[in-house]
């Protein structure tokens, strides 16, 4: 059964793009063809779904790393950079208002 599991995981993008219903259908087909014992089907579905969730997490992390790297290479400001600039603008506006009020006096 581990060979069967390895084959299922190695298909395309693995289980990252396969729904639970699709996995259940594939496993049911294996049971119907006699390639998998009925009592093993639920455990296999659970293992495949779990593996798919792990692969989705890994793929998401990889994509996030790549996007962050590209944004950094393009010198796109981060949320933190924007927050710092907003604070500086607020401080400058405050200082301008203070200077303008001194002119009036």
């Amino acid at each position: 059964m581990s060979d069967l599991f390895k084959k299922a995981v190695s298909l395309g993008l693995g289980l990252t793009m396969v729904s639970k219903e699709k996995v259940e259908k594939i496993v049911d087909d294996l049971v119907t063809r006699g390639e998998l014992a009925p009592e093993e089907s639920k455990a296999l579905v659970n293992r495949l779904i779990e593996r798919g969730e792990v692969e989705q997490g890994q793929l998401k992390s990889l994509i996030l790393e790549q996007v962050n790297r590209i944004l950094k290479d393009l010198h796109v400001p981060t949320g933190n950079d924007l927050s710092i600039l907003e604070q500086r603008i607020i401080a400058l506006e405050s200082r301008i208002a203070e200077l303008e009020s001194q002119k009036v006096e």
Side-chain angles (χ1 to χ4, degrees), residues 5-41:
F5 180 73
K6 289 176 185 174
K7 286 180 184 176
V9 171
S10 67
L11 291 175
L13 285 176
L15 297 172
T16 57
M17 306 306 287
V18 178
S19 69
K20 181 178 180 182
E21 293 78 22
K22 180 86 170 170
V23 170
E24 288 172 342
K25 183 182 180 323
I26 292 168
V27 171
D28 287 344
D29 288 344
L30 291 172
V31 170
T32 302
R33 291 194 319 239
E35 295 180 30
L36 182 67
E39 59 274 4
E40 295 178 319
S41 66

Side-chain angles (χ1 to χ4, degrees), residues 47-81:
R47 286 174 56 197
L48 292 173
I49 294 299
E50 183 179 311
R51 176 64 187 212
E53 290 170 355
V54 168
E55 286 186 14
Q56 275 183 324
Q58 291 171 342
L59 182 59
K60 184 178 178 180
S61 293
L62 179 64
I63 290 171
L64 186 58
E65 288 173 18
Q66 292 295 327
V67 168
N68 285 333
R69 186 175 305 129
I70 290 168
L71 292 174
K72 185 176 180 179
D73 290 347
L74 294 173
H75 305 290
V76 174
T78 65
N80 188 47
D81 294 335

